[in-house]
């Protein structure tokens, strides 16, 4: 499998429960609402989600699947538009990755979050060493659009510009052409090291629930219940935490 090398982001904030999907009900296309085998699609991410057979995220899904005796759980890598733009279950029963920015963020969106999170993903604020910014600097002028902050296009509570190519955004930041980039720690750190971006400064921004998302229909409800049950069982066994630690770690305090 040869996924695209452009690191793209979800273009929607995903909902928490089916009845909170912005009043939207997705067209159901599954032949059986309760078909036990579950298939997902995911976006390529460097280091953590590069294919569906090996690597941190693939191993995490295998761990969850071991606690789902009712059927099989599988996934494949697809272009970002296939993963994030369709609101029905034509292409997949579930999709990932996505983070849940805040509680009650689901009322304006056409998807539902999994009831259970897989873990918490650390987001880091990357700025230029010549013009360092802290989280408080950005929040203080949240409504003034004073800084050019590139980030996942979700409702952060302050103006941002959507990242399309993470590697390019970080290189632009290293040259001082943008003020900040906000991104998940592991993927961005990998690119900072790979490209030897020595003019970048890092600061912990926040930690967010790492979840799956599904359609807003009866199939989506069934899949949500099934996957959330498997995630709970994997967590109770202690296996989920070990597998997730290979995907995302707590904030690592270092500088390029």
């Amino acid at each position: 499998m040869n996924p695209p090398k452009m690191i793209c982001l979800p273009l929607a904030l995903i909902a928490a429960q089916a009845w909170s999907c912005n009043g939207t009900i997705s067209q159901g296309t599954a032949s059986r609402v309760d078909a036990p085998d579950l298939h997902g699609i995911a976006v390529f991410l460097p280091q953590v989600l590069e294919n569906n057979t090996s690597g941190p995220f693939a191993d995490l899904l295998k761990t969850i699947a071991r606690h789902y005796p009712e059927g099989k759980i599988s996934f494949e890598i697809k272009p970002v538009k296939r993963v994030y733009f369709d609101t029905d279950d034509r292409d997949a029963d579930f999709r990932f990755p996505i983070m849940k920015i805040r509680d009650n963020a689901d009322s304006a969106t056409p998807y539902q979050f999994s009831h259970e999170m897989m873990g918490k993903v650390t987001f880091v604020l990357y700025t230029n060493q010549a013009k360092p910014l802290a989280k408080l600097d950005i929040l203080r002028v949240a409504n003034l659009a004073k800084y050019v902050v590139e980030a996942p296009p979700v409702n952060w509570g302050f103006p941002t510009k959507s990242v399309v190519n993470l590697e390019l955004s970080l290189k632009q930041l290293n040259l001082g052409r943008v003020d900040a980039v906000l991104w998940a720690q592991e993927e961005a750190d990998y690119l900072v090291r790979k490209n030897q971006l020595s003019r970048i400064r890092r600061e912990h921004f926040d930690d967010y629930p790492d979840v799956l998302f599904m359609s807003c229909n009866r199939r989506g409800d069934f899949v949500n219940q099934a996957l959330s049950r498997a995630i709970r069982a994997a967590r109770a066994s202690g296996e989920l935490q070990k597998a997730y630690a290979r995907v995302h770690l707590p904030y690592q305090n270092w500088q390029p």
Side-chain angles (χ1 to χ4, degrees):
M1 182 177 295
N2 295 308
K5 297 301 181 182
M6 180 176 287
I7 297 94
C8 298
L9 250 286
L11 299 182
L13 186 60
I14 313 307
Q17 296 191 22
W19 52 84
S20 301
C21 296
N22 192 26
T24 300
I25 298 177
S26 305
Q27 179 180 357
T29 58
S31 57
R32 278 180 53 200
V33 168
D34 60 349
D37 291 348
L38 311 177
H39 184 69
I41 54 178
V43 175
F44 174 88
L45 292 174
Q47 294 291 97
V48 299
L49 186 49
E50 296 184 343
N51 62 71
N52 65 347
T53 57
S54 62
F57 248 118
D59 292 343
L60 176 62
L61 266 290
K62 290 177 184 177
T63 298
I64 295 171
R66 284 198 294 273
H67 295 270
Y68 181 63
E70 297 92 338
K72 297 179 181 179
I73 297 176
S74 60
F75 79 94
E76 57 187 318
I77 305 292
K78 290 289 184 181
V80 65
K81 289 184 179 181
R82 289 281 299 278
V83 176
Y84 292 103
F85 282 121
D86 293 330
T87 59
D88 57 31
D89 51 27
R90 177 181 55 196
D91 292 325
D93 295 311
F94 66 93
R95 301 148 192 268
F96 68 99
I98 189 69
M99 73 288 194
K100 183 179 177 182
I101 292 291
R102 60 179 62 83
D103 289 334
N104 302 318
D106 56 301
S107 60
T109 59
Y111 303 97
Q112 57 175 308
F113 282 127
S114 56
H115 303 315
E116 296 287 337
M117 68 176 179
M118 297 177 288
K120 283 202 170 181
V121 53
T122 291
F123 267 68
V124 174
L125 179 65
Y126 298 87
T127 59
N128 189 285
Q129 291 180 358
K131 191 172 64 172
L133 295 173
K135 178 178 180 178
L136 188 58
D137 294 322
I138 293 175
L139 297 181
R140 278 174 174 166
V141 294
N143 298 318
L144 302 181
K146 180 178 179 179
Y147 303 117
V148 178
V149 180
E150 298 196 358
V154 297
N155 183 11
W156 294 98
F158 51 85
T160 61
K161 179 182 177 182
S162 298
V163 171
V164 175
N165 183 315
L166 178 58
E167 189 163 8
L168 178 60
S169 292
L170 290 169
K171 287 179 177 179
Q172 293 286 88
L173 177 64
N174 196 59
L175 294 173
R177 294 175 182 171
V178 298
D179 295 307
V181 174
L182 185 57
W183 201 273
Q185 174 176 247
E186 281 71 25
E187 299 97 275
D189 281 358
Y190 166 73
L191 293 173
V192 168
R193 291 186 172 106
K194 172 189 171 185
N195 293 289
Q196 300 181 2
L197 303 180
S198 59
R199 299 174 186 171
I200 285 180
R201 177 182 179 272
R202 303 168 71 260
E203 178 179 308
H204 181 222
F205 192 82
D206 213 336
D207 303 317
Y208 300 103
D210 197 349
V211 294
L212 308 168
F213 64 104
M214 305 88 180
S215 301
C216 293
N217 54 29
R218 291 176 60 206
R219 177 62 176 172
D221 295 344
F222 173 84
V223 173
N224 199 339
Q225 294 291 343
L227 285 173
S228 295
R229 187 167 59 249
I231 292 170
R232 283 194 299 271
R235 182 181 295 112
S237 74
E239 295 179 34
L240 182 73
Q241 296 88 326
K242 293 178 182 178
Y244 191 81
R246 293 190 288 273
V247 178
H248 292 299
L249 292 168
Y251 178 67
Q252 306 296 296
N253 190 11
W254 68 280
Q255 297 297 332

